[in-house]
Each structure stands twice: as C-alpha cells, then as structure tokens.
Amino acid sequence: MSERATAQPTATERASGDVLAVESLSAWYGEARVLTDVSLAVQPGEVVTLVGRNGAGKTTLLRSIMGLHRHVEGTISWGGRELGKASPDARAKAGIGWVPDDRGIYASLSVAENLTLPPVVNKDAWTLEQVYEQFPVLHERRDFPGTKLSGGEQQMLAMARVLRMGSRLLLLDEPSEGLAPVIVQRIGEIIRQIKAQGVAVLLVEQNVKFASTVADRHYLLAQGRVVESLDNDAFQSRTTELLEYLGM
Amino acid sequence: MTAFIQYTLQGLSTGGFYALSALGLAVIFGVLGVVNFSHGACYMLGAVAATVLLDTLGLGFWAALPLVTLLMFVFGVLMERLLVRWLLKLDPLYNFLLTFGITLVLVDLVKRRYGVSSLPYQVPAGLEGRIDLGSLSLSRYQLFVSVFSVLVCLAVWMLLTKTRIGMIVRASTEDAERSRALGINVGRWVTPVFGFGIALAGLAGVLAAPFRAVNADMGSNFIIVLFAVVVIGGLGSILGAVVAGFLVGLVEAFGQAYADRFSQVLIFVLMALVVLIRPAGLFGKEEAA
C-alpha cells in the first residue's frame, strides 16, 4: 500500500536528520509476546547498542525495524516518516541497511556480486573503489564465492555491502561474534569511521567491552523490555555489574 | 564399449528432460518458495500441445518448440497471477495442495478431450533414423535432444550468472527474505520466474513428444522422478538441479540396460544414498545448526 511512499525521503527530511524513532513497539511470535512497549531513538552519527541476554528480543527488534518481522504494534519512524507497513525492500531503499547475525553472505554470488547486488540508495554511498580501498582483501577475493571468505572477511563484506548501498542507518546484529580480537578491533574502527560520516548505527552486542569502545549510548533489554538506558560513561563504570546481569 | 556409448546417449537425452524441468522447479522453489507439484502436468501439457498443434494447424516440431515454450510461459504467468499468488503468504503446504489440484484438473481435462491412449508424434524431419559410425549406431534424435538440452541449460546458466537479472534470481533463490532486506523487490520477479519455470517444463515436454508415449498420464511418473532429482541435487540449488537431472537420466538408462525392472528403484537408491551422506543434497546448502 504505502510501499512507494517511504522509498525516497525528500530533501527537507534529509536535512532535518535521519532519525530512527521506535515508539511503544511490541512484537509477537504467534501468541508469545517477545517485545513489550519498547521505545528508543538513534540520531545521525550516533552509535547505540542494544545489550541483553539471548532471547531478550534484540534480533526481533532489528528485524521489526527492517520490516522482516511483521507481527508488531507501535510505531517505527525513520527520517520523519512512519514506516507502517512498508516492505523490507522499500525500507532498504529509504536508507536502512541490515547486517544480519549470520552475515547474510550469498554462497551463489561472488564477493563482487555480493557487493553490487543491492541498489545504491544515496548519492554519498561508497563507491566500489572506496570499498576495495578500505577492504583490500575483498578486492583480492572479488571473484571467490562469498562464503569462501573467513568469518571476519564475511563480516567486512556484509558491512561493506550496506556502505556501498549508502545506507544512513545500519542495523548491526552481533558483528563481533566469534571473531578474533584483531578483527573485532578492525570492526570497531569501521564503526567509528561510519559514525564520523553521520550514519546512525544500532548495534546488537553481547560483548560488553567491545560495545563500550564504540557506542555513545546503550539500552539494556530484558525479556523484551527496555529496562535501562545508559550513556557510555555510566555503562563503563558499571561494566562488572552488567556482565553479571547478562550472565557472562 | 558401443553399448556403453549408446546407454550414455540415452541417459543424457532422458536426463535432458529431467535437467530442464528440475531447473524450472528449482528457480520456482527458490524465488517463490513454492513446490510446484503441477510441473509434471506442465511437461505433459507441453507434449500434448505439440501433438495438437500438428493435428489442428499442421505445425511441426520446429514450430512447436518455440511456440509451445512461449504458450507455457503465458500459462505459467496466468497460473501465478490468478491462483498461486493468493496463497504465497500462507504456509507453503497450501500452494503444494493447490498445484496438486491443478495437476488433477489438467490431467482430467486432457483425458476428457483426447482420451487415455497415446497420441502419435513423429520424430521431426531431418532427425529420423540413426547415425552409423562403424559398429556404433546412434539415434539422431537422441543426439539432438542431448545436445539441445545441454545448450539450453548452458544458456540458462549464462543468463543466471552473467546478467543482473540472473544475479537477483540467484540471490533470491538462495534467500528471498534477505534479498528483500537488501532493497531487492523480489515480488517483481515472482511472476516472470514462475512463467519461466513452467516454460522449461513445457519445452521438456515438446522434446519428449517424439519418443515418449504422449498421454494425459505421462507427467505423473515424471514428477516423482523429478522430485528425486531435486532432492539429489539439493533443494534450491540451480547447478544441483541440472547435474542431478543428467545423473538420474544416466542411472535410469543404465538401469534399464542392466537391471531392467529395477531401473526406477535405482534412482531412489541413489537418492537415499545421497541423503544419507549429504542430507542437503549434492549441491544443497547445509542448514546451520
């Protein structure tokens, strides 16, 4: 219905800033309620994390923002427009970039094809040259099947893919999971670089230490509710307590 | 050695029907998530259409080949637009049942109009008889079918690997939901892909008409073998569908030669072995735990 309406924000909306605002969002799987009354906001150039145990509803929240999880109530707006029933592809074209927890690399596409599959949705998107300059390994392996890359390289590819689209909001689902410390550090650098370009980042993370090195603010999610909202200083001073709370 | 080459050729020609049809089944399953049970009936319809074109309009094999393929594409488009589309949001089982129902209707409509006995269809002009190479004698038509279906599979392969449309179809075949989240309007490709898949089944039907018994029931055994092909190749794998199609054709041909009545059994033994060793099929992606 409103598939087209959300596709391209107007210039004024762009100028007013690409803000993600989630208000009183609830989500269900069948009868089971997995998110209850979640409200949060992410400003351009801001990195915000969702911290919580497995099953707290973090991934469902990202999927709801992307339009992949449809059984929701409440509102999600992006760049001043309510997304309503907009399809996932309309949301992607409006500048929301998804980096799923399994990285979502296509085995049947080469590295280069994985990069160029999505449409470019913004004028200031990274060019393929820029991507290859930032990630030389992707250039080296451009003709390899996407899934022949190592876990860390696949994570880079998944992030590079949405940067080449020119997404203005990145939904990153556990980018550090299962990766070596060096790679995690590199991912942190990339996130800071994205942030410097004014892109908004909503990061799902269980690695509290990593979260505190990249994020401005944090939301604690437990049993589908936001139980606390902290700035990074408060978050860092309570790391031990939070780790215990998360059972890690 | 002569026998070996002859069985190989026979296997490749039968395999050609399987590969073309399984290719159609694979892209439809990949992009729509629909297991099209009516694929065998569409193959049958392609063969029947070729005989009808000859009887009523005097159009021979060479005209039927492109014409029936096109007609089956239109038929597929209509089937998707009018029926399949409405059930896409429901459990995949509903479309499985719908296409099963379509199969029954198509088979009975053909029986009602053309009866149950096989309709004769001549081997096309220029492809009759055999080529003799010393002790080796090969059927011209089988040779043609083998080469032609390999070429069509190659052409489809080029379309899928060298074009942007192909890239989108491959990506959506692998994971349609993910493609949507990356800004691909998968819905736009649903109708043409369905039509394309049905057209390939129809094309296989025309190719089969000259040396298979053309009747309303010819699709019912075909679809069972076709499902075995898809399981062996790996559900949702395009390359798997083609390779397994030719593989099953070969197993069937050699089975008929050396194990006679067990040739059909052999196909399912092969399927069982593949599933035991690689549950996702030869080219299927293993599900992450």
Side-chain angles (χ1 to χ4, degrees), chain B residues 68-80 195 198-199:
Chain B
V68 171
T69 307
L70 190 68
L71 284 173
M72 291 307 290
F73 176 82
V74 174
F75 180 76
V77 165
L78 290 174
M79 190 164 136
E80 198 280 329
I198 299 294

Side-chain angles (χ1 to χ4, degrees), chain A residues 3 63 66 68 88-89 92-93 96 98 102 104-109 113 116-119 161-162 165, chain B residues 160-164 167-168 170-172 174-186 188 285:
Chain A
E3 200 169 308
R63 289 176 58 84
M66 199 66 243
L68 294 169
D89 51 287
K93 283 182 191 134
I96 304 180
W98 190 48
D102 65 358
I105 302 305
Y106 293 98
S108 49
L109 267 58
E113 286 175 327
T116 54
L117 173 77
R161 180 165 64 184
V162 288
M165 280 178 83
Chain B
L160 286 171
T161 54
K162 301 289 175 210
T163 68
R164 178 152 181 91
M167 183 161 92
I168 290 170
R170 269 183 295 143
S172 307
E174 194 177 324
D175 192 332
E177 179 187 74
R178 184 198 299 158
S179 302
R180 272 192 286 274
L182 289 171
I184 306 292
N185 185 350
V186 177
R188 229 172 81 196
K285 200 177 58 171

Side-chain angles (χ1 to χ4, degrees), chain A residues 36-68:
Chain A
T36 307
D37 213 19
V38 170
S39 296
L40 57 84
V42 188
Q43 307 288 329
E46 196 182 29
V47 179
V48 173
T49 62
L50 292 170
V51 185
R53 292 185 187 201
N54 280 334
K58 301 173 305 248
T59 296
T60 305
L61 182 53
L62 293 195
R63 289 176 58 84
S64 304
I65 296 169
M66 199 66 243
L68 294 169

